[in-house]
Amino acid sequence: MYKILSLDGGGSWAILQLLTLKYKYGNVEGHIILRKFDMIISNSGGSIILAALAENWTIDKALTLFEKKEVREQVFYKNTFKDRFFPIDYIRLFTNFGPKYSAPKKGEAFRKLFPELDKRQMEELPAFIGKDSLKLIVCTYDALNNRAKFFKSYGRTKSNDSVRMTQAIHGSSNAPVQYFDFPARFKTKNSGIFYELWDGALGGFNNPIAAAVIEAIKNGEDLTKLKVISIGTGNKLMSLEDKNRFYQIKQITQQERRKKLRFWRLKFQVSYFSKTILNQATTILYEPPDWANYVAYMFLYKDGRDDVNERIVRLSPLIHSCREMLPEVNILLDKLYKLDMDLTEDSDIELIKKCFNYWAEDKILNQPINFRIQRNNDLTYEQGDKYFSDAIKKW
């Protein structure tokens, strides 16, 4: 089998990927895990996980990226009022809209955290890891050319891009709009090109599983021999309560949009506007949870073999309340609904770790590959594993 590991983006929620790897392999060094695969593709938070593994940190050491507040705050370095640019420096005085973290400081943090990776170009990493045939891919978005850009450890010539993984993950984890202020800028070694990069999610690769399958096909791999392990960072569906609230606010906004002087009622229109704008601003970073998984599934299904459900394993907790959830689980899910991707408080990290425990105990559902949502918010699974225990067995 040709084994692929795909790691989603998701900011601090990427701690779920480390906890999943620890559940499967124990507290081992990163190179041991990486050598078990033939290709590894990652985006954003998943790229930071890949970097920690490539640096050969143990899983427990990699967990400090999220468990230690001082380390988290090196990556999510908050800009002061003086450092923010107009008009964000004034807008953030009155709203929660606009970037709040320093991209240059994040780049510095990665160079300090991963010194071995910062010494080497990506094409040198397979030998450093101990598997020359290993293929590493980091997803980014080229802001100057408006297209997805993948940095790879293979397929290079003297005229092609050659970068260090610390540079690649800096671009890959550079979420715009609500998070980082400027594109990640660096110069490639061979071509001398300067890149300005945002998070790979902007190219549609927050979940890079489909890109991995396409890349394997491009490299001449046999579709019937592919085995894909895709680890997510928690996928949120809208709660029934939030759906009802959105509908109510929208109805009030439609009814009262022409009553310009009823200032005491404008809060509903402001609420609808802010919900809509923020939803559109962040939706690509969360990505619809069924798209990439389903495309990858259909690629593997095309050959007509009936073992496709064994050869694609999706592991990601589904942040979704439904009738079968226990009361204490619904309480946790309500808290998880409210969390963003950039978690810098210890209490928030503890909630994510609790989420993992409930998920691993099959109390929180696993994300399906394809599903339908009923009117009462229950799910019907069409492809994929409903529970963590089922998916981990296939792995």
Side-chain angles (χ1 to χ4, degrees):
M1 280 290 182
Y2 188 87
K3 297 178 182 177
I4 298 173
L5 175 63
S6 176
L7 300 171
D8 286 19
S12 301
W13 288 69
I15 191 175
L16 290 165
Q17 295 171 335
L18 285 172
L19 294 169
T20 303
L21 291 169
K22 185 175 181 180
Y23 185 98
K24 175 66 178 176
Y25 297 118
N27 181 34
V28 297
E29 292 178 338
H31 287 186
I32 293 174
I33 294 174
L34 296 181
R35 288 196 295 265
K36 293 179 182 294
F37 296 91
D38 299 292
M39 176 187 288
I40 300 156
I41 189 168
S42 64
N43 182 60
S44 197
S47 295
I48 300 173
I49 302 302
L50 174 57
L53 298 177
E55 187 75 11
N56 206 27
W57 287 7
T58 64
I59 296 293
D60 280 350
K61 184 174 181 181
L63 284 168
T64 63
L65 287 166
F66 306 98
E67 292 176 335
K68 288 191 175 180
K69 188 176 178 70
E70 61 269 25
V71 179
R72 294 195 303 268
E73 290 182 345
Q74 288 179 52
V75 176
F76 293 108
Y77 184 93
K78 283 192 176 180
N79 280 323
T80 63
F81 176 83
K82 181 180 178 181
D83 292 329
R84 293 197 292 264
F85 61 89
F86 178 85
I88 301 304
D89 47 0
Y90 295 104
I91 290 173
R92 289 201 68 84
L93 289 175
F94 305 102
T95 72
N96 194 36
F97 189 77
K100 47 187 176 287
Y101 302 115
S102 168
K105 291 288 186 182
K106 174 165 62 70
E108 289 176 20
F110 288 150
R111 292 193 291 275
K112 291 176 184 175
L113 287 167
F114 307 122
E116 291 301 320
L117 299 187
D118 202 47
K119 294 177 189 173
R120 297 170 171 84
Q121 301 301 110
M122 277 189 67
E123 57 266 35
E124 300 174 85
L125 292 182
F128 174 61
I129 291 165
K131 186 174 182 177
D132 289 341
S133 63
L134 180 63
K135 291 176 170 55
L136 305 174
I137 307 171
V138 176
C139 305
T140 69
Y141 183 80
D142 180 351
L144 297 180
N145 295 298
N146 291 330
R147 65 186 188 116
K149 172 67 182 173
F150 296 164
F151 291 103
K152 306 172 187 177
S153 65
Y154 61 96
R156 307 223 170 268
T157 66
K158 287 185 178 179
S159 63
N160 281 343
D161 304 324
S162 178
V163 303
R164 301 187 300 278
M165 183 170 276
T166 45
Q167 294 173 315
I169 68 167
H170 181 30
S172 182
S173 61
N174 211 42
V177 184
Q178 282 292 88
Y179 306 101
F180 291 98
D181 50 4
F182 295 104
R185 177 179 169 83
F186 56 79
K187 183 181 180 181
T188 61
K189 182 179 179 181
N190 289 339
S191 65
I193 293 173
F194 277 99
Y195 277 102
E196 303 270 354
L197 300 169
W198 290 118
D199 191 304
L202 271 70
F205 297 104
N206 194 53
N207 175 355
I209 182 175
V213 172
I214 293 169
E215 193 69 19
I217 295 170
K218 224 171 79 177
N219 293 337
E221 301 300 335
D222 184 349
L223 267 177
T224 66
K225 303 295 184 187
L226 296 189
K227 172 91 173 189
V228 188
I229 308 297
S230 172
I231 310 178
T233 55
N235 295 86
K236 292 182 184 180
L237 300 184
M238 190 178 284
S239 70
L240 193 58
E241 180 184 354
D242 283 344
K243 288 178 182 178
N244 290 334
R245 186 182 301 118
F246 181 84
Y247 177 74
Q248 290 166 0
I249 293 173
K250 188 200 79 170
Q251 291 297 99
I252 293 172
T253 299
Q254 287 179 328
Q255 292 165 7
E256 301 194 353
R257 66 188 185 277
R258 294 177 180 171
K259 300 173 183 177
K260 307 296 185 184
L261 300 180
R262 298 183 66 183
F263 300 112
W264 61 95
R265 298 284 288 176
L266 287 180
K267 64 179 181 180
F268 296 106
Q269 297 187 45
V270 170
S271 178
Y272 175 71
F273 177 78
S274 61
K275 281 179 180 294
T276 303
I277 291 295
L278 286 175
N279 177 267
Q280 295 303 311
T282 59
T283 186
I284 192 66
L285 298 172
Y286 288 112
E287 194 169 345
D290 53 348
W291 176 85
N293 297 319
Y294 188 65
V295 169
Y297 179 91
M298 293 309 297
F299 266 113
L300 270 61
Y301 181 77
K302 186 180 178 182
D303 59 32
R305 290 162 58 98
D306 59 5
D307 66 345
V308 62
N309 290 309
E310 303 298 321
R311 292 191 292 116
I312 178 167
V313 178
R314 175 63 174 173
L315 279 156
S316 187
L318 192 65
I319 312 307
H320 178 71
S321 297
C322 56
R323 290 180 299 174
E324 67 180 274
M325 297 290 101
L326 296 171
E328 64 268 25
V329 176
N330 276 324
I331 291 171
L332 175 63
L333 289 171
D334 286 341
K335 294 176 181 177
L336 294 171
Y337 271 128
K338 296 177 176 65
L339 296 183
D340 206 338
M341 295 191 302
D342 53 328
L343 308 179
T344 55
E345 298 300 323
D346 290 337
S347 57
D348 293 336
I349 296 298
E350 288 306 312
L351 285 177
I352 303 298
K353 291 167 77 173
K354 190 174 182 180
C355 168
F356 175 82
N357 291 334
Y358 277 170
W359 176 44
E361 295 167 1
D362 294 340
K363 294 178 181 177
I364 287 178
L365 300 177
N366 187 51
Q367 183 199 346
I369 290 172
N370 191 26
F371 64 98
R372 287 182 289 112
I373 304 177
Q374 309 299 330
R375 190 173 181 83
N376 62 7
N377 232 32
D378 286 348
L379 300 185
T380 299
Y381 280 62
E382 295 185 347
Q383 280 93 29
D385 299 299
K386 189 173 183 178
Y387 299 110
F388 178 93
S389 60
D390 296 327
I392 209 80
K393 283 175 189 174
K394 291 180 181 178
W395 186 347

